[in-house]
Amino acid sequence: GDSVTQMEGPVTLSEEAFLTINCTYTATGYPSLFWYVQYPGEGLQLLLKATKADDKGSNKGFEATYRKETTSFHLEKGSVQVSDSAVYFCALRNYGGSQGNLIFGKGTKLSVKP
Amino acid sequence: DTEVTQTPKHLVMGMTNKKSLKCEQHMGHRAMYWYKQKAKKPPELMFVYSYEKLSINESVPSRFSPECPNSSLLNLHLHALQPEDSALYLCASSHRDFYLVEQYFGPGTRLTVT
């Protein structure tokens, strides 16, 4: 079945450091890919999405490119801030697969120190 | 405006109580979802409503009873819950229930069953 694998956390960075959170997926066909962020005590917020190969999603300085050849959707940000501290979830949704449900990775906790 | 609201924010209930969670969106979305999220885990899908009809029930125990009175409102009725049902309950909505379309999440209701 379809699945998403994220890098294990927690990830601890200093402010202004470069961030990469790895995400790879297993799915048939061409799923849609998403990154969601969850701040402490809150619900999930959509960060960015991509719906076809080579699409680049971007928002608030975060970027991720849909790489069909490597089945990856890594999240990057050039300069993180303390306010970026949160849990980041990579997710996919596939036509017909898993009844089209959102399938989440386990989440990666990011802590940014001043 | 991409806002999904949920009430109450926190709920403590005994195992013999009956309570309801409420979710509302005014974005004209025709698909609405209930998720359950345990601590340090990704959300798990419980129910999907599409055009006010229940389309997916992920084998959820009958002590959870969803209701979609209209296209803007989604309820989750709770009865005879167990302590292991304590979790963050998230509502989400999307334009329609389709794999290319992103879901928007509410802030959640944190439920404690005593």
Side-chain angles (χ1 to χ4, degrees):
Chain A
D2 298 343
S3 66
V4 174
T5 302
Q6 284 182 242
M7 62 187 289
E8 295 285 331
V11 174
T12 302
L13 295 173
S14 298
E15 208 165 20
E16 299 185 1
F18 185 86
L19 168 71
T20 300
I21 300 178
N22 290 338
C23 171
T24 57
Y25 68 90
T26 301
T28 56
Y30 295 88
S32 294
L33 301 173
F34 306 88
W35 276 101
Y36 283 88
V37 58
Q38 187 171 32
Y39 298 100
E42 299 186 10
L44 275 68
Q45 294 180 23
L46 177 68
L47 189 55
L48 51 86
K49 76 170 194 178
T51 57
K52 60 183 188 295
D54 300 324
D55 260 3
K56 178 186 279 189
S58 62
N59 186 24
K60 299 180 182 179
F62 291 90
E63 292 183 342
T65 301
Y66 189 144
R67 300 288 187 199
K68 180 72 173 169
E69 64 277 12
T70 54
T71 62
S72 65
F73 193 54
H74 305 321
L75 183 68
E76 296 181 336
K77 187 177 185 185
S79 176
V80 294
Q81 305 300 311
V82 172
S83 57
D84 294 325
S85 298
V87 178
Y88 292 80
F89 290 99
C90 184
L92 72 80
R93 202 168 181 202
N94 202 0
Y95 180 79
S98 303
Q99 297 182 298
N101 297 342
L102 255 182
I103 296 171
F104 289 94
K106 292 184 177 181
T108 302
K109 183 176 181 180
L110 170 67
S111 295
V112 181
K113 306 296 184 188
Chain B
D1 184 10
T2 55
E3 188 177 27
V4 176
T5 59
Q6 290 187 244
T7 54
K9 191 171 176 61
H10 299 277
L11 178 61
V12 179
M13 60 185 290
M15 290 189 285
T16 58
N17 290 161
K18 284 185 180 181
K19 297 286 185 182
S20 296
L21 310 184
K22 179 180 171 181
C23 172
E24 201 160 5
Q25 56 87 14
H26 295 286
M27 296 177 278
H29 290 175
R30 303 310 298 272
M32 297 184 78
Y33 312 79
W34 280 116
Y35 288 84
K36 173 182 178 181
Q37 186 180 26
K38 301 285 277 185
K40 300 186 189 300
K41 298 289 187 183
E44 297 175 354
L45 183 67
M46 300 175 72
F47 303 103
V48 179
Y49 273 84
S50 180
Y51 291 88
E52 295 99 70
K53 287 187 173 18
L54 183 65
S55 61
I56 292 177
N57 175 342
E58 290 286 354
S59 303
V60 178
S62 60
R63 56 186 184 268
F64 295 90
S65 175
E67 179 196 20
C68 189
N70 58 57
S71 60
S72 300
L73 193 55
L74 185 66
N75 298 320
L76 186 63
H77 303 297
L78 314 172
H79 173 56
L81 295 192
Q82 304 297 311
E84 60 264 28
D85 296 322
S86 298
L88 182 67
Y89 288 84
L90 295 164
C91 174
S93 72
S94 63
H95 180 63
R96 56 189 176 118
D97 186 29
F98 188 55
Y99 79 111
L100 291 174
V101 178
E102 61 271 25
Q103 295 180 20
Y104 294 95
F105 285 79
T109 293
R110 188 160 300 281
L111 174 67
T112 303
V113 181
T114 60

